[in-house]
Amino acid sequence: MADVKNFDSDCLFCKILKGDIPSTKVYEDELCYAFRDIAPQAPTHILVIPKEHIASAAELSAAENAALAAHILAVLPRIAAAEGLTGGWRIVSNVGPDAGQTVPHLHFHILGGQRLSDRMA
């Protein structure tokens, strides 16, 4: 499917990018890939991942990958609009196990399609 920069053979999302594990694609370009979450926590739950293995947002740096992060942030509203999320949507990126990150590959959740809880910020 895709070339993955810094491919990690133990990473679930790297395997999805390589096509070794199936996913339901929502969006793809040269830098990122978006697919439906297999355990959605909202009517619309999409994961957006870079085509480069970066463990989490804690590894982002201005010198190395600021352009990649900016690109993904610019793609998020396009995906949300294509999904019809006109009433609002949430972006979540967990960093580390204490925050609930279960896959150590940078990813952004797009959640929407209903009113989301005010308790989760």
Side-chain angles (χ1 to χ4, degrees):
M1 184 194 277
D3 270 342
V4 182
K5 186 175 174 188
N6 302 323
F7 177 75
D8 180 340
S9 62
D10 293 326
C11 174
L12 175 69
F13 291 168
C14 284
K15 291 176 184 177
I16 287 173
L17 286 168
K18 285 286 198 183
D20 296 339
I21 296 174
S23 64
T24 304
K25 179 170 77 169
V26 171
Y27 174 88
E28 182 175 16
D29 64 26
E30 68 282 353
L31 298 176
C32 65
Y33 180 74
F35 58 99
R36 299 203 184 278
D37 194 296
I38 62 167
Q41 298 190 18
T44 299
H45 188 167
I46 296 167
L47 300 173
V48 183
I49 62 175
K51 290 183 175 179
E52 173 178 352
H53 183 81
I54 300 169
S56 73
E59 290 191 5
L60 293 173
S61 71
E64 290 185 35
N65 41 34
L68 172 62
H71 174 79
I72 292 172
L73 290 174
V75 165
L76 296 173
R78 289 189 279 173
I79 295 170
E83 290 291 313
L85 300 178
T86 59
W89 44 284
R90 179 174 291 155
I91 305 166
V92 177
S93 184
N94 300 318
V95 178
D98 286 352
Q101 183 180 11
T102 57
V103 179
H105 186 118
L106 176 65
H107 58 286
F108 296 88
H109 299 256
I110 299 174
L111 299 154
Q114 69 182 28
R115 178 158 176 83
L116 301 173
S117 170
D118 293 335
R119 294 188 52 190
M120 184 177 167

